[in-house]
Short mmCIF file of all heavy atoms in Angstrom, two decimals:
data_model
loop_
_atom_site.label_atom_id
_atom_site.label_comp_id
_atom_site.label_asym_id
_atom_site.label_seq_id
_atom_site.Cartn_x
_atom_site.Cartn_y
_atom_site.Cartn_z
N ALA A 98 -11.31 43.17 -18.85
CA ALA A 98 -12.29 42.08 -18.83
C ALA A 98 -13.67 42.71 -18.83
O ALA A 98 -13.86 43.79 -18.28
CB ALA A 98 -12.12 41.21 -17.57
N HIS A 99 -14.63 42.04 -19.47
CA HIS A 99 -15.99 42.59 -19.44
C HIS A 99 -16.81 41.94 -18.34
O HIS A 99 -16.59 40.78 -18.00
CB HIS A 99 -16.67 42.49 -20.81
CG HIS A 99 -16.94 41.09 -21.29
ND1 HIS A 99 -18.10 40.41 -21.00
CD2 HIS A 99 -16.22 40.26 -22.08
CE1 HIS A 99 -18.08 39.22 -21.58
NE2 HIS A 99 -16.94 39.10 -22.24
N ASP A 101 -20.39 42.26 -18.20
CA ASP A 101 -21.73 41.84 -18.61
C ASP A 101 -21.66 40.40 -19.08
O ASP A 101 -20.57 39.89 -19.40
CB ASP A 101 -22.25 42.74 -19.74
CG ASP A 101 -21.39 42.63 -21.00
OD1 ASP A 101 -20.16 42.78 -20.86
OD2 ASP A 101 -21.93 42.36 -22.08
N VAL A 102 -22.83 39.74 -19.09
CA VAL A 102 -22.88 38.34 -19.52
C VAL A 102 -24.04 38.14 -20.49
O VAL A 102 -24.98 38.94 -20.53
CB VAL A 102 -23.06 37.37 -18.32
CG1 VAL A 102 -21.83 37.37 -17.42
CG2 VAL A 102 -24.32 37.69 -17.52
N VAL A 103 -23.97 37.04 -21.24
CA VAL A 103 -25.09 36.65 -22.10
C VAL A 103 -26.24 36.24 -21.18
O VAL A 103 -26.02 35.67 -20.10
CB VAL A 103 -24.65 35.47 -23.00
CG1 VAL A 103 -25.84 34.86 -23.73
CG2 VAL A 103 -23.61 35.94 -24.00
N SER A 130 -16.89 31.39 -17.29
CA SER A 130 -15.78 31.39 -18.25
C SER A 130 -15.73 32.70 -19.03
O SER A 130 -14.66 33.17 -19.39
CB SER A 130 -15.88 30.18 -19.19
OG SER A 130 -16.93 30.33 -20.12
N ASP A 131 -16.89 33.29 -19.31
CA ASP A 131 -16.95 34.49 -20.18
C ASP A 131 -17.68 35.61 -19.45
O ASP A 131 -18.88 35.69 -19.53
CB ASP A 131 -17.65 34.09 -21.48
CG ASP A 131 -17.73 35.22 -22.49
OD1 ASP A 131 -17.05 36.24 -22.30
OD2 ASP A 131 -18.50 35.09 -23.46
N ASP A 132 -17.04 36.51 -18.75
CA ASP A 132 -15.60 36.71 -18.70
C ASP A 132 -15.22 37.04 -17.26
O ASP A 132 -14.26 37.74 -16.98
CB ASP A 132 -15.26 37.86 -19.67
CG ASP A 132 -13.78 38.15 -19.83
OD1 ASP A 132 -12.95 37.27 -19.59
OD2 ASP A 132 -13.47 39.30 -20.16
N LYS A 133 -16.06 36.51 -16.31
CA LYS A 133 -15.89 36.95 -14.92
C LYS A 133 -14.69 36.29 -14.23
O LYS A 133 -14.22 36.82 -13.21
CB LYS A 133 -17.20 36.74 -14.15
CG LYS A 133 -18.24 37.79 -14.57
CD LYS A 133 -19.60 37.62 -13.92
CE LYS A 133 -20.46 38.87 -14.18
NZ LYS A 133 -21.86 38.69 -13.72
N GLU A 165 -19.95 44.05 -23.57
CA GLU A 165 -19.18 43.44 -24.66
C GLU A 165 -20.12 42.56 -25.48
O GLU A 165 -20.05 42.52 -26.71
CB GLU A 165 -18.04 42.59 -24.09
CG GLU A 165 -17.05 42.08 -25.13
CD GLU A 165 -17.40 40.73 -25.71
OE1 GLU A 165 -18.29 40.03 -25.17
OE2 GLU A 165 -16.81 40.33 -26.71
N GLU A 166 -21.02 41.85 -24.78
CA GLU A 166 -21.95 40.94 -25.44
C GLU A 166 -22.97 41.77 -26.20
O GLU A 166 -23.74 42.50 -25.60
CB GLU A 166 -22.65 40.05 -24.41
CG GLU A 166 -21.72 39.28 -23.47
CD GLU A 166 -20.89 38.22 -24.18
OE1 GLU A 166 -21.08 38.03 -25.40
OE2 GLU A 166 -20.05 37.59 -23.53
N ASN A 192 -6.39 40.77 -22.70
CA ASN A 192 -7.85 40.68 -22.77
C ASN A 192 -8.26 39.21 -22.85
O ASN A 192 -7.41 38.32 -22.86
CB ASN A 192 -8.30 41.46 -24.02
CG ASN A 192 -9.80 41.54 -24.19
OD1 ASN A 192 -10.55 41.52 -23.22
ND2 ASN A 192 -10.24 41.63 -25.44
N GLU A 193 -9.57 38.96 -22.95
CA GLU A 193 -10.06 37.60 -23.23
C GLU A 193 -9.76 37.25 -24.69
O GLU A 193 -9.21 38.06 -25.43
CB GLU A 193 -11.57 37.55 -22.98
CG GLU A 193 -12.35 38.43 -23.94
CD GLU A 193 -13.85 38.25 -23.86
OE1 GLU A 193 -14.30 37.21 -23.37
OE2 GLU A 193 -14.58 39.15 -24.30
N GLY A 194 -10.15 36.03 -25.09
CA GLY A 194 -10.02 35.67 -26.50
C GLY A 194 -8.99 34.58 -26.75
O GLY A 194 -8.95 34.01 -27.84
N ALA A 403 -15.44 38.15 -32.45
CA ALA A 403 -14.99 39.50 -32.11
C ALA A 403 -15.02 39.70 -30.60
O ALA A 403 -15.87 39.15 -29.90
CB ALA A 403 -15.89 40.54 -32.77
N THR A 404 -14.04 40.46 -30.09
CA THR A 404 -14.03 40.86 -28.69
C THR A 404 -13.89 42.38 -28.63
O THR A 404 -13.74 43.03 -29.66
CB THR A 404 -12.83 40.25 -27.93
OG1 THR A 404 -11.63 40.91 -28.37
CG2 THR A 404 -12.69 38.75 -28.15
N ASP A 405 -13.87 42.91 -27.41
CA ASP A 405 -13.68 44.36 -27.25
C ASP A 405 -12.28 44.80 -27.67
O ASP A 405 -12.02 46.00 -27.79
CB ASP A 405 -13.91 44.75 -25.79
CG ASP A 405 -15.38 44.98 -25.50
OD1 ASP A 405 -16.16 45.12 -26.47
OD2 ASP A 405 -15.75 45.04 -24.32
N GLN A 420 -5.24 34.08 -21.29
CA GLN A 420 -5.89 33.84 -20.01
C GLN A 420 -5.23 32.74 -19.18
O GLN A 420 -5.22 32.81 -17.97
CB GLN A 420 -7.36 33.46 -20.22
CG GLN A 420 -8.17 34.56 -20.89
CD GLN A 420 -9.65 34.27 -20.90
OE1 GLN A 420 -10.07 33.20 -21.34
NE2 GLN A 420 -10.45 35.19 -20.41
N ALA A 431 -19.34 28.83 -23.13
CA ALA A 431 -19.58 30.26 -23.08
C ALA A 431 -20.83 30.57 -23.90
O ALA A 431 -21.00 30.03 -24.99
CB ALA A 431 -18.38 31.02 -23.63
N HIS A 432 -21.70 31.39 -23.38
CA HIS A 432 -22.98 31.78 -24.00
C HIS A 432 -24.01 30.66 -23.93
O HIS A 432 -25.18 30.88 -24.27
CB HIS A 432 -22.84 32.22 -25.47
CG HIS A 432 -21.93 33.39 -25.68
ND1 HIS A 432 -21.92 34.15 -26.83
CD2 HIS A 432 -21.00 33.97 -24.89
CE1 HIS A 432 -21.03 35.12 -26.74
NE2 HIS A 432 -20.44 35.01 -25.55
ZN1 LIG B 501 -16.45 37.52 -23.45
#
Side-chain angles (χ1 to χ4, degrees):
H99 66 88
D101 63 309
V102 293
V103 170
S130 73
D131 182 13
D132 184 24
K133 287 176 168 173
E165 189 269 348
E166 306 293 357
N192 184 29
E193 65 172 339
T404 72
D405 275 345
Q420 298 189 308
H432 300 197

